[in-house]
Amino acid sequence: MENLNLLDTIATLKPIPLKRLHLVESDYVRLENLPVGQVGTVVNIYDEQEEPHYLVEFADLQGREYAMATLKRDEVLILHYELSVA
């Protein structure tokens, strides 16, 4: 599984519980979790001893951030906009 880079666009593969989220918008405090398929951007990488963790920002279509979460690699899918042939 490839590592993530700064500014990679990702989608969540698992629900992210509210206790792991930093919510910026108070409108979302009633959420139980961030659902599968939410799109976010990697904004920081934490090199842990065993595996890296990624700070991901989630924003709406107008670019307004509504949540952040620190996620593991197995919780996200990298989204690609162009086909890359190796």
Side-chain angles (χ1 to χ4, degrees), residues 17-19 21 23 27-35 66-67:
L18 183 61
K19 65 183 177 185
L21 293 173
L23 294 175
D27 295 345
Y28 297 107
V29 294
R30 294 183 310 270
L31 291 176
E32 290 183 23
N33 58 57
L34 196 63
Y66 60 85

Side-chain angles (χ1 to χ4, degrees), residues 2 4-5 7-13 37-42 58 73 76-83:
E2 66 183 297
L4 301 174
N5 296 305
L7 303 180
D8 276 350
T9 303
I10 61 91
T12 56
L13 290 173
Q38 288 302 119
V39 175
T41 303
V42 176
F58 297 92
R73 179 63 185 92
V76 301
L77 169 71
I78 300 173
L79 301 179
H80 300 281
Y81 294 100
E82 295 182 17
L83 181 61

Side-chain angles (χ1 to χ4, degrees), residues 18-80:
L18 183 61
K19 65 183 177 185
R20 292 186 52 206
L21 293 173
H22 170 71
L23 294 175
V24 177
E25 292 291 329
S26 59
D27 295 345
Y28 297 107
V29 294
R30 294 183 310 270
L31 291 176
E32 290 183 23
N33 58 57
L34 196 63
V36 171
Q38 288 302 119
V39 175
T41 303
V42 176
V43 294
N44 202 351
I45 300 171
Y46 304 110
D47 290 322
E48 301 291 329
Q49 289 180 3
E50 295 176 15
E51 65 178 315
H53 288 69
Y54 305 93
L55 181 62
V56 178
E57 175 185 84
F58 297 92
D60 63 19
L61 292 175
Q62 286 73 41
R64 292 183 302 243
E65 176 189 356
Y66 60 85
M68 294 189 88
T70 301
L71 304 174
K72 296 179 185 176
R73 179 63 185 92
D74 66 348
E75 296 177 302
V76 301
L77 169 71
I78 300 173
L79 301 179
H80 300 281

